[in-house]
Every structure is written in structure tokens, then in C-alpha cells.
Amino acid sequence: MDSPVDKLTDIALVAQVVTLHNKRAFDTLVKKYQSGVRRFLLHQTLGDSQLSDDLAQDTFVKAYTHLSSFKGVSAFSTWLYRIAYNVFYDYRRTHHLSVDIDTVEMRQRASAHPDKALQLDLYKALAQLKEVERLCITLQLVEGQPVEQIAKITGLNLGTVKSHLSRGKTKLATYLKANGYDR
């Protein structure tokens, strides 16, 4: 969650980009949010690092080209995550992306690297969720976004976000317990 100082800093950087065409100011924003956006998209794509990197790049291109539409009503991070989600959603819709986590390539990577097995199990667990549940869970548990921010990012009502979080957490817990993660 952005502090008031972070929010003001981001607004100042956005103003420099929009009014002065200061590309270094935008680079500062990219460096600040790049890891979070990539991680968010990695979880939405269930571990497809190539795709998540491409989507992150598209996110920052869209953010740059539409920066003048940022009004500062919400935090810059909220606005940026909304763009990232829209980029992912558009990609998924136009490419008819299916949620198939149990591919041969993923199993080979997991067997070659034991730490990847846990990661693969996490992505399999996330694959059990509906897309909107995975979105809400990722924003809260991975990105640390409060429920109110998740509602702004997703455009969902607060109660709907809470319902998706509750159902998603229950599904995750059930899946993980059934697969030996009962601690």
C-alpha cells in the first residue's frame, strides 16, 4: 500500500512526464513498480515467465501512452495494476488462453529443480480458482493490497471482492491440504 509520501512522489513523477516529457521520471516509476507488476502477471499466467514479461512490458507501454489520463484520485499503483489486469484480460480474451498448468514443459522444469516443484504446486493450486478469485487472492496475499484497493483495481464492489477472497482462500486451503500441505 502506498504511503501519502509515496503517493505524492508518484504524482510528482507523473506530472514531470506529462508536462515536461521527462523520460527519466517515467523510468523511476518503472523501476519502482516493475517487480510487483511482473510478479502479479506471473501469478495470473500461472508461472509463464515469458508471457508475464511480455504483458508487463505492454502494461508499461500503455501506462506511458495514457499517463495523462491518470488523475491522482487513487494511488498510481492502483491505476497501474488496473492497466496490468486489463492487459492480461485482453490477452486472455484474444488468444483464448486456457488454464492448463500440467504441461510436459512445466513438469520437466519442476523435476530438474526441486524448488520449482513447490512453485508448480502453487500454480496448480491457483489454477483451481476462478480467474477473478485468483486475481483477488494474488492482489491481497502476494501484492499486499488492501480490500479497498482491490475493489478499485478490479472495478468490483467491496462485498464482491470479500466473497471472492473468502471462496478463493477456502479453495486454496482445500486443494493444498488434499495435496500434502496440511501445516
Side-chain angles (χ1 to χ4, degrees), residues 25-83:
F26 188 73
D27 288 343
T28 302
L29 289 167
V30 171
K31 287 175 186 165
K32 181 176 180 180
Y33 292 105
Q34 179 176 326
S35 297
V37 168
R38 290 176 72 203
R39 183 177 52 243
F40 168 73
L41 291 166
L42 186 65
H43 285 49
Q44 298 310 302
T45 62
L46 299 173
D48 187 333
S49 60
Q50 176 86 31
L51 177 57
S52 60
D53 286 348
D54 290 347
L55 294 174
Q57 183 174 351
D58 290 349
T59 297
F60 285 105
V61 168
K62 283 192 189 246
Y64 183 79
T65 58
H66 294 92
L67 205 54
S68 61
S69 70
F70 175 69
K71 303 299 178 207
V73 175
S74 61
F76 179 78
S77 63
T78 302
W79 183 78
L80 186 62
Y81 277 99
R82 178 67 186 183
I83 292 172

Short mmCIF file of all heavy atoms in Angstrom, two decimals, residues 25-83:
data_model
loop_
_atom_site.label_atom_id
_atom_site.label_comp_id
_atom_site.label_asym_id
_atom_site.label_seq_id
_atom_site.Cartn_x
_atom_site.Cartn_y
_atom_site.Cartn_z
N ALA A 25 11.87 10.40 -15.32
CA ALA A 25 10.84 10.32 -14.28
C ALA A 25 10.00 9.06 -14.49
O ALA A 25 9.66 8.36 -13.53
CB ALA A 25 9.95 11.56 -14.29
N PHE A 26 9.69 8.74 -15.75
CA PHE A 26 8.94 7.52 -16.02
C PHE A 26 9.80 6.29 -15.72
O PHE A 26 9.30 5.30 -15.17
CB PHE A 26 8.43 7.48 -17.47
CG PHE A 26 7.50 6.33 -17.69
CD1 PHE A 26 6.21 6.35 -17.17
CD2 PHE A 26 7.90 5.21 -18.40
CE1 PHE A 26 5.34 5.28 -17.35
CE2 PHE A 26 7.04 4.14 -18.60
CZ PHE A 26 5.76 4.17 -18.07
N ASP A 27 11.08 6.35 -16.04
CA ASP A 27 11.99 5.25 -15.69
C ASP A 27 11.97 4.98 -14.19
O ASP A 27 12.03 3.82 -13.75
CB ASP A 27 13.43 5.55 -16.14
CG ASP A 27 13.61 5.48 -17.64
OD1 ASP A 27 12.73 4.89 -18.33
OD2 ASP A 27 14.61 6.01 -18.13
N THR A 28 11.90 6.03 -13.39
CA THR A 28 11.83 5.88 -11.94
C THR A 28 10.56 5.13 -11.54
O THR A 28 10.60 4.24 -10.68
CB THR A 28 11.87 7.26 -11.25
OG1 THR A 28 13.07 7.93 -11.65
CG2 THR A 28 11.81 7.14 -9.74
N LEU A 29 9.44 5.47 -12.17
CA LEU A 29 8.19 4.77 -11.89
C LEU A 29 8.29 3.30 -12.32
O LEU A 29 7.82 2.40 -11.60
CB LEU A 29 7.02 5.44 -12.60
CG LEU A 29 6.60 6.80 -12.05
CD1 LEU A 29 5.65 7.50 -13.02
CD2 LEU A 29 5.95 6.64 -10.68
N VAL A 30 8.88 3.05 -13.47
CA VAL A 30 9.04 1.66 -13.94
C VAL A 30 9.87 0.86 -12.95
O VAL A 30 9.50 -0.24 -12.55
CB VAL A 30 9.67 1.62 -15.35
CG1 VAL A 30 10.04 0.19 -15.73
CG2 VAL A 30 8.72 2.22 -16.39
N LYS A 31 11.00 1.43 -12.54
CA LYS A 31 11.87 0.71 -11.59
C LYS A 31 11.15 0.44 -10.27
O LYS A 31 11.32 -0.61 -9.67
CB LYS A 31 13.15 1.51 -11.34
CG LYS A 31 14.10 1.48 -12.52
CD LYS A 31 15.29 2.37 -12.29
CE LYS A 31 16.14 2.41 -13.57
NZ LYS A 31 17.10 3.49 -13.56
N LYS A 32 10.34 1.37 -9.85
CA LYS A 32 9.63 1.22 -8.58
C LYS A 32 8.57 0.12 -8.64
O LYS A 32 8.40 -0.63 -7.68
CB LYS A 32 8.96 2.56 -8.21
CG LYS A 32 8.21 2.53 -6.90
CD LYS A 32 7.68 3.91 -6.56
CE LYS A 32 6.92 3.90 -5.24
NZ LYS A 32 6.39 5.22 -4.91
N TYR A 33 7.87 0.00 -9.77
CA TYR A 33 6.72 -0.91 -9.85
C TYR A 33 6.95 -2.15 -10.72
O TYR A 33 6.09 -3.04 -10.75
CB TYR A 33 5.49 -0.14 -10.36
CG TYR A 33 5.01 0.85 -9.35
CD1 TYR A 33 5.25 2.21 -9.53
CD2 TYR A 33 4.36 0.44 -8.20
CE1 TYR A 33 4.81 3.14 -8.59
CE2 TYR A 33 3.93 1.35 -7.26
CZ TYR A 33 4.16 2.71 -7.45
OH TYR A 33 3.75 3.62 -6.52
N GLN A 34 8.07 -2.22 -11.39
CA GLN A 34 8.32 -3.31 -12.33
C GLN A 34 8.23 -4.70 -11.67
O GLN A 34 7.56 -5.59 -12.19
CB GLN A 34 9.69 -3.12 -12.96
CG GLN A 34 10.09 -4.18 -13.94
CD GLN A 34 11.42 -3.83 -14.59
OE1 GLN A 34 11.71 -2.67 -14.83
NE2 GLN A 34 12.22 -4.82 -14.87
N SER A 35 8.89 -4.88 -10.54
CA SER A 35 8.88 -6.19 -9.89
C SER A 35 7.48 -6.62 -9.49
O SER A 35 7.09 -7.77 -9.71
CB SER A 35 9.77 -6.18 -8.64
OG SER A 35 11.09 -5.94 -8.98
N GLY A 36 6.72 -5.72 -8.90
CA GLY A 36 5.37 -6.05 -8.48
C GLY A 36 4.46 -6.39 -9.64
O GLY A 36 3.70 -7.36 -9.58
N VAL A 37 4.54 -5.63 -10.71
CA VAL A 37 3.70 -5.88 -11.88
C VAL A 37 4.07 -7.21 -12.52
O VAL A 37 3.20 -8.01 -12.86
CB VAL A 37 3.80 -4.72 -12.90
CG1 VAL A 37 3.17 -5.08 -14.24
CG2 VAL A 37 3.14 -3.47 -12.34
N ARG A 38 5.36 -7.48 -12.64
CA ARG A 38 5.79 -8.76 -13.23
C ARG A 38 5.35 -9.93 -12.36
O ARG A 38 4.88 -10.95 -12.88
CB ARG A 38 7.31 -8.76 -13.41
CG ARG A 38 7.74 -7.81 -14.53
CD ARG A 38 9.23 -7.73 -14.66
NE ARG A 38 9.73 -8.98 -15.23
CZ ARG A 38 10.97 -9.41 -15.08
NH1 ARG A 38 11.83 -8.71 -14.38
NH2 ARG A 38 11.35 -10.53 -15.63
N ARG A 39 5.49 -9.80 -11.06
CA ARG A 39 5.07 -10.87 -10.13
C ARG A 39 3.57 -11.09 -10.23
O ARG A 39 3.10 -12.23 -10.30
CB ARG A 39 5.49 -10.50 -8.71
CG ARG A 39 5.19 -11.54 -7.66
CD ARG A 39 5.69 -11.14 -6.28
NE ARG A 39 5.22 -9.81 -5.90
CZ ARG A 39 6.03 -8.76 -5.68
NH1 ARG A 39 7.34 -8.88 -5.78
NH2 ARG A 39 5.53 -7.59 -5.33
N PHE A 40 2.82 -10.01 -10.25
CA PHE A 40 1.36 -10.09 -10.38
C PHE A 40 0.98 -10.84 -11.65
O PHE A 40 0.15 -11.77 -11.63
CB PHE A 40 0.77 -8.68 -10.38
CG PHE A 40 -0.67 -8.62 -10.78
CD1 PHE A 40 -1.67 -9.08 -9.93
CD2 PHE A 40 -1.03 -8.09 -12.01
CE1 PHE A 40 -3.00 -9.03 -10.31
CE2 PHE A 40 -2.35 -8.03 -12.39
CZ PHE A 40 -3.34 -8.50 -11.54
N LEU A 41 1.57 -10.47 -12.77
CA LEU A 41 1.26 -11.11 -14.04
C LEU A 41 1.76 -12.55 -14.09
O LEU A 41 1.13 -13.40 -14.71
CB LEU A 41 1.81 -10.28 -15.21
CG LEU A 41 1.08 -8.94 -15.41
CD1 LEU A 41 1.87 -8.03 -16.33
CD2 LEU A 41 -0.33 -9.17 -15.93
N LEU A 42 2.87 -12.83 -13.44
CA LEU A 42 3.38 -14.21 -13.37
C LEU A 42 2.37 -15.12 -12.70
O LEU A 42 2.12 -16.24 -13.14
CB LEU A 42 4.72 -14.24 -12.62
CG LEU A 42 5.44 -15.58 -12.59
CD1 LEU A 42 5.87 -16.00 -14.00
CD2 LEU A 42 6.66 -15.49 -11.68
N HIS A 43 1.73 -14.62 -11.65
CA HIS A 43 0.72 -15.42 -10.96
C HIS A 43 -0.55 -15.54 -11.79
O HIS A 43 -1.21 -16.58 -11.77
CB HIS A 43 0.42 -14.83 -9.58
CG HIS A 43 1.50 -15.10 -8.60
ND1 HIS A 43 2.83 -14.87 -8.85
CD2 HIS A 43 1.46 -15.62 -7.36
CE1 HIS A 43 3.55 -15.21 -7.81
NE2 HIS A 43 2.74 -15.67 -6.88
N GLN A 44 -0.91 -14.49 -12.52
CA GLN A 44 -2.10 -14.57 -13.36
C GLN A 44 -1.90 -15.55 -14.51
O GLN A 44 -2.84 -16.22 -14.93
CB GLN A 44 -2.48 -13.19 -13.90
CG GLN A 44 -2.82 -12.17 -12.84
CD GLN A 44 -3.82 -12.67 -11.83
OE1 GLN A 44 -4.93 -13.07 -12.16
NE2 GLN A 44 -3.42 -12.68 -10.56
N THR A 45 -0.67 -15.64 -15.03
CA THR A 45 -0.37 -16.55 -16.14
C THR A 45 0.07 -17.93 -15.63
O THR A 45 0.50 -18.77 -16.42
CB THR A 45 0.73 -15.98 -17.05
OG1 THR A 45 1.94 -15.82 -16.30
CG2 THR A 45 0.30 -14.66 -17.68
N LEU A 46 -0.03 -18.13 -14.34
CA LEU A 46 0.31 -19.41 -13.69
C LEU A 46 1.74 -19.84 -13.99
O LEU A 46 2.01 -20.99 -14.29
CB LEU A 46 -0.69 -20.49 -14.10
CG LEU A 46 -2.14 -20.19 -13.70
CD1 LEU A 46 -3.08 -21.22 -14.29
CD2 LEU A 46 -2.28 -20.12 -12.18
N GLY A 47 2.65 -18.88 -13.91
CA GLY A 47 4.07 -19.18 -14.00
C GLY A 47 4.71 -19.05 -15.36
O GLY A 47 5.88 -19.38 -15.52
N ASP A 48 4.02 -18.56 -16.34
CA ASP A 48 4.58 -18.39 -17.68
C ASP A 48 5.40 -17.09 -17.68
O ASP A 48 4.88 -16.01 -17.92
CB ASP A 48 3.47 -18.34 -18.72
CG ASP A 48 3.98 -18.33 -20.16
OD1 ASP A 48 5.13 -17.87 -20.38
OD2 ASP A 48 3.24 -18.77 -21.05
N SER A 49 6.70 -17.23 -17.40
CA SER A 49 7.54 -16.05 -17.23
C SER A 49 7.70 -15.25 -18.53
O SER A 49 7.73 -14.02 -18.49
CB SER A 49 8.91 -16.43 -16.65
OG SER A 49 9.57 -17.33 -17.50
N GLN A 50 7.79 -15.93 -19.66
CA GLN A 50 7.92 -15.22 -20.94
C GLN A 50 6.68 -14.37 -21.19
O GLN A 50 6.78 -13.19 -21.52
CB GLN A 50 8.08 -16.24 -22.07
CG GLN A 50 8.13 -15.62 -23.45
CD GLN A 50 9.50 -15.19 -23.85
OE1 GLN A 50 10.48 -15.80 -23.44
NE2 GLN A 50 9.60 -14.14 -24.64
N LEU A 51 5.52 -14.97 -21.02
CA LEU A 51 4.27 -14.25 -21.24
C LEU A 51 4.11 -13.12 -20.24
O LEU A 51 3.74 -12.00 -20.60
CB LEU A 51 3.07 -15.20 -21.17
CG LEU A 51 1.69 -14.56 -21.33
CD1 LEU A 51 1.57 -13.78 -22.65
CD2 LEU A 51 0.60 -15.63 -21.22
N SER A 52 4.42 -13.39 -18.98
CA SER A 52 4.24 -12.34 -17.96
C SER A 52 5.19 -11.16 -18.22
O SER A 52 4.81 -10.01 -18.02
CB SER A 52 4.41 -12.89 -16.55
OG SER A 52 5.68 -13.44 -16.38
N ASP A 53 6.40 -11.44 -18.69
CA ASP A 53 7.32 -10.35 -19.03
C ASP A 53 6.78 -9.53 -20.21
O ASP A 53 6.86 -8.30 -20.20
CB ASP A 53 8.71 -10.89 -19.37
CG ASP A 53 9.48 -11.36 -18.15
OD1 ASP A 53 9.05 -11.07 -17.01
OD2 ASP A 53 10.52 -12.02 -18.33
N ASP A 54 6.24 -10.22 -21.21
CA ASP A 54 5.66 -9.51 -22.36
C ASP A 54 4.48 -8.65 -21.93
O ASP A 54 4.34 -7.50 -22.36
CB ASP A 54 5.21 -10.51 -23.43
CG ASP A 54 6.37 -11.19 -24.14
OD1 ASP A 54 7.52 -10.74 -24.01
OD2 ASP A 54 6.10 -12.20 -24.84
N LEU A 55 3.63 -9.21 -21.08
CA LEU A 55 2.46 -8.47 -20.60
C LEU A 55 2.87 -7.29 -19.73
O LEU A 55 2.25 -6.22 -19.78
CB LEU A 55 1.50 -9.39 -19.85
CG LEU A 55 0.83 -10.49 -20.69
CD1 LEU A 55 0.02 -11.41 -19.79
CD2 LEU A 55 -0.01 -9.91 -21.80
N ALA A 56 3.93 -7.47 -18.93
CA ALA A 56 4.42 -6.36 -18.11
C ALA A 56 4.93 -5.22 -19.00
O ALA A 56 4.66 -4.05 -18.74
CB ALA A 56 5.52 -6.84 -17.16
N GLN A 57 5.65 -5.59 -20.06
CA GLN A 57 6.14 -4.58 -20.99
C GLN A 57 4.96 -3.83 -21.62
O GLN A 57 4.96 -2.61 -21.71
CB GLN A 57 7.00 -5.22 -22.07
CG GLN A 57 7.61 -4.21 -23.02
CD GLN A 57 8.57 -4.86 -24.00
OE1 GLN A 57 8.93 -6.02 -23.89
NE2 GLN A 57 8.99 -4.09 -24.98
N ASP A 58 3.95 -4.59 -22.03
CA ASP A 58 2.75 -3.96 -22.61
C ASP A 58 2.08 -3.04 -21.60
O ASP A 58 1.58 -1.96 -21.96
CB ASP A 58 1.75 -5.02 -23.07
CG ASP A 58 2.21 -5.79 -24.30
OD1 ASP A 58 3.21 -5.38 -24.93
OD2 ASP A 58 1.56 -6.82 -24.62
N THR A 59 2.07 -3.45 -20.34
CA THR A 59 1.47 -2.65 -19.28
C THR A 59 2.16 -1.29 -19.18
O THR A 59 1.50 -0.25 -19.13
CB THR A 59 1.55 -3.38 -17.93
OG1 THR A 59 0.79 -4.58 -18.01
CG2 THR A 59 1.05 -2.52 -16.79
N PHE A 60 3.48 -1.29 -19.17
CA PHE A 60 4.21 -0.03 -19.02
C PHE A 60 4.11 0.84 -20.28
O PHE A 60 4.08 2.06 -20.19
CB PHE A 60 5.65 -0.28 -18.60
CG PHE A 60 5.77 -0.66 -17.16
CD1 PHE A 60 6.02 -1.97 -16.79
CD2 PHE A 60 5.57 0.27 -16.16
CE1 PHE A 60 6.09 -2.33 -15.45
CE2 PHE A 60 5.64 -0.07 -14.82
CZ PHE A 60 5.90 -1.38 -14.46
N VAL A 61 4.02 0.21 -21.43
CA VAL A 61 3.82 0.98 -22.66
C VAL A 61 2.45 1.67 -22.61
O VAL A 61 2.34 2.86 -22.90
CB VAL A 61 3.94 0.08 -23.92
CG1 VAL A 61 3.44 0.79 -25.16
CG2 VAL A 61 5.38 -0.38 -24.10
N LYS A 62 1.42 0.91 -22.22
CA LYS A 62 0.08 1.51 -22.11
C LYS A 62 0.06 2.60 -21.05
O LYS A 62 -0.57 3.64 -21.22
CB LYS A 62 -0.97 0.45 -21.80
CG LYS A 62 -1.34 -0.36 -23.01
CD LYS A 62 -2.56 -1.18 -22.75
CE LYS A 62 -2.76 -2.11 -23.90
NZ LYS A 62 -3.90 -1.89 -24.68
N ALA A 63 0.72 2.36 -19.93
CA ALA A 63 0.76 3.36 -18.87
C ALA A 63 1.41 4.64 -19.38
O ALA A 63 0.91 5.74 -19.14
CB ALA A 63 1.51 2.83 -17.65
N TYR A 64 2.50 4.50 -20.11
CA TYR A 64 3.21 5.68 -20.62
C TYR A 64 2.34 6.44 -21.61
O TYR A 64 2.23 7.67 -21.54
CB TYR A 64 4.53 5.26 -21.29
CG TYR A 64 5.32 6.44 -21.78
CD1 TYR A 64 6.07 7.20 -20.88
CD2 TYR A 64 5.32 6.81 -23.12
CE1 TYR A 64 6.80 8.30 -21.32
CE2 TYR A 64 6.04 7.91 -23.56
CZ TYR A 64 6.78 8.64 -22.65
OH TYR A 64 7.50 9.73 -23.07
N THR A 65 1.69 5.72 -22.52
CA THR A 65 0.90 6.39 -23.54
C THR A 65 -0.39 7.00 -22.99
O THR A 65 -0.96 7.89 -23.62
CB THR A 65 0.57 5.45 -24.72
OG1 THR A 65 -0.14 4.32 -24.23
CG2 THR A 65 1.84 5.01 -25.44
N HIS A 66 -0.84 6.51 -21.84
CA HIS A 66 -2.08 7.02 -21.25
C HIS A 66 -1.84 7.76 -19.93
O HIS A 66 -2.77 7.97 -19.16
CB HIS A 66 -3.07 5.87 -21.03
CG HIS A 66 -3.55 5.26 -22.30
ND1 HIS A 66 -2.92 4.18 -22.88
CD2 HIS A 66 -4.57 5.60 -23.12
CE1 HIS A 66 -3.55 3.86 -23.99
NE2 HIS A 66 -4.55 4.71 -24.18
N LEU A 67 -0.61 8.13 -19.69
CA LEU A 67 -0.26 8.75 -18.41
C LEU A 67 -1.03 10.02 -18.13
O LEU A 67 -1.36 10.32 -16.98
CB LEU A 67 1.25 9.02 -18.36
CG LEU A 67 1.89 9.08 -16.99
CD1 LEU A 67 1.59 7.84 -16.17
CD2 LEU A 67 3.39 9.26 -17.12
N SER A 68 -1.38 10.75 -19.16
CA SER A 68 -2.12 11.99 -18.95
C SER A 68 -3.54 11.73 -18.43
O SER A 68 -4.17 12.64 -17.89
CB SER A 68 -2.19 12.82 -20.23
OG SER A 68 -2.86 12.10 -21.23
N SER A 69 -4.02 10.49 -18.53
CA SER A 69 -5.35 10.17 -18.01
C SER A 69 -5.32 9.84 -16.52
O SER A 69 -6.37 9.72 -15.89
CB SER A 69 -5.98 9.01 -18.79
OG SER A 69 -5.32 7.81 -18.50
N PHE A 70 -4.12 9.70 -15.94
CA PHE A 70 -4.01 9.47 -14.51
C PHE A 70 -4.34 10.77 -13.78
O PHE A 70 -3.69 11.79 -13.97
CB PHE A 70 -2.60 8.99 -14.12
CG PHE A 70 -2.40 8.85 -12.64
CD1 PHE A 70 -3.05 7.86 -11.93
CD2 PHE A 70 -1.57 9.73 -11.96
CE1 PHE A 70 -2.88 7.73 -10.56
CE2 PHE A 70 -1.38 9.60 -10.59
CZ PHE A 70 -2.04 8.61 -9.89
N LYS A 71 -5.38 10.74 -12.95
CA LYS A 71 -5.86 11.95 -12.29
C LYS A 71 -5.42 12.05 -10.83
O LYS A 71 -5.67 13.06 -10.18
CB LYS A 71 -7.39 12.02 -12.35
CG LYS A 71 -7.94 11.98 -13.76
CD LYS A 71 -7.46 13.15 -14.59
CE LYS A 71 -7.99 13.07 -16.00
NZ LYS A 71 -7.16 13.70 -16.97
N GLY A 72 -4.80 11.00 -10.30
CA GLY A 72 -4.35 11.06 -8.91
C GLY A 72 -5.45 10.84 -7.89
O GLY A 72 -5.22 11.04 -6.70
N VAL A 73 -6.62 10.41 -8.33
CA VAL A 73 -7.71 10.15 -7.40
C VAL A 73 -7.38 8.94 -6.53
O VAL A 73 -7.60 8.94 -5.32
CB VAL A 73 -9.05 9.92 -8.16
CG1 VAL A 73 -10.16 9.52 -7.22
CG2 VAL A 73 -9.41 11.17 -8.94
N SER A 74 -6.83 7.91 -7.15
CA SER A 74 -6.35 6.74 -6.41
C SER A 74 -4.83 6.73 -6.53
O SER A 74 -4.24 7.54 -7.24
CB SER A 74 -6.96 5.46 -6.98
OG SER A 74 -6.58 5.30 -8.34
N ALA A 75 -4.23 5.79 -5.85
CA ALA A 75 -2.77 5.68 -5.90
C ALA A 75 -2.33 5.29 -7.31
O ALA A 75 -3.06 4.60 -8.04
CB ALA A 75 -2.30 4.63 -4.89
N PHE A 76 -1.13 5.69 -7.70
CA PHE A 76 -0.59 5.33 -9.00
C PHE A 76 -0.53 3.81 -9.13
O PHE A 76 -0.82 3.26 -10.20
CB PHE A 76 0.81 5.95 -9.20
CG PHE A 76 1.42 5.59 -10.53
CD1 PHE A 76 1.00 6.23 -11.68
CD2 PHE A 76 2.39 4.61 -10.62
CE1 PHE A 76 1.55 5.90 -12.92
CE2 PHE A 76 2.95 4.27 -11.85
CZ PHE A 76 2.53 4.92 -13.00
N SER A 77 -0.17 3.13 -8.05
CA SER A 77 -0.08 1.66 -8.10
C SER A 77 -1.43 1.05 -8.42
O SER A 77 -1.51 0.07 -9.19
CB SER A 77 0.47 1.10 -6.79
OG SER A 77 -0.39 1.39 -5.72
N THR A 78 -2.50 1.59 -7.89
CA THR A 78 -3.84 1.09 -8.18
C THR A 78 -4.15 1.25 -9.66
O THR A 78 -4.62 0.33 -10.32
CB THR A 78 -4.89 1.86 -7.35
OG1 THR A 78 -4.58 1.71 -5.97
CG2 THR A 78 -6.30 1.38 -7.63
N TRP A 79 -3.85 2.40 -10.20
CA TRP A 79 -4.06 2.69 -11.62
C TRP A 79 -3.23 1.74 -12.48
O TRP A 79 -3.72 1.18 -13.46
CB TRP A 79 -3.70 4.15 -11.86
CG TRP A 79 -3.92 4.67 -13.25
CD1 TRP A 79 -5.09 5.06 -13.81
CD2 TRP A 79 -2.90 4.90 -14.23
NE1 TRP A 79 -4.88 5.51 -15.09
CE2 TRP A 79 -3.55 5.42 -15.38
CE3 TRP A 79 -1.52 4.72 -14.26
CZ2 TRP A 79 -2.85 5.76 -16.54
CZ3 TRP A 79 -0.83 5.06 -15.41
CH2 TRP A 79 -1.50 5.58 -16.53
N LEU A 80 -1.97 1.53 -12.09
CA LEU A 80 -1.07 0.68 -12.86
C LEU A 80 -1.50 -0.79 -12.81
O LEU A 80 -1.49 -1.48 -13.84
CB LEU A 80 0.36 0.84 -12.33
CG LEU A 80 1.44 0.13 -13.11
CD1 LEU A 80 1.52 0.67 -14.55
CD2 LEU A 80 2.79 0.31 -12.42
N TYR A 81 -1.90 -1.28 -11.64
CA TYR A 81 -2.36 -2.67 -11.55
C TYR A 81 -3.64 -2.87 -12.34
O TYR A 81 -3.87 -3.95 -12.88
CB TYR A 81 -2.55 -3.10 -10.09
CG TYR A 81 -1.26 -3.55 -9.44
CD1 TYR A 81 -0.54 -2.69 -8.62
CD2 TYR A 81 -0.78 -4.83 -9.64
CE1 TYR A 81 0.64 -3.10 -8.03
CE2 TYR A 81 0.41 -5.25 -9.04
CZ TYR A 81 1.11 -4.37 -8.24
OH TYR A 81 2.28 -4.78 -7.66
N ARG A 82 -4.46 -1.85 -12.41
CA ARG A 82 -5.67 -1.95 -13.23
C ARG A 82 -5.29 -2.10 -14.70
O ARG A 82 -5.88 -2.90 -15.43
CB ARG A 82 -6.56 -0.71 -13.02
CG ARG A 82 -7.81 -0.70 -13.84
CD ARG A 82 -8.77 -1.80 -13.43
NE ARG A 82 -9.90 -1.84 -14.33
CZ ARG A 82 -10.91 -2.63 -14.19
NH1 ARG A 82 -10.96 -3.45 -13.18
NH2 ARG A 82 -11.88 -2.63 -15.05
N ILE A 83 -4.31 -1.36 -15.14
CA ILE A 83 -3.82 -1.50 -16.52
C ILE A 83 -3.27 -2.90 -16.73
O ILE A 83 -3.56 -3.56 -17.73
CB ILE A 83 -2.77 -0.43 -16.86
CG1 ILE A 83 -3.42 0.96 -16.91
CG2 ILE A 83 -2.08 -0.75 -18.19
CD1 ILE A 83 -2.44 2.10 -17.06
#
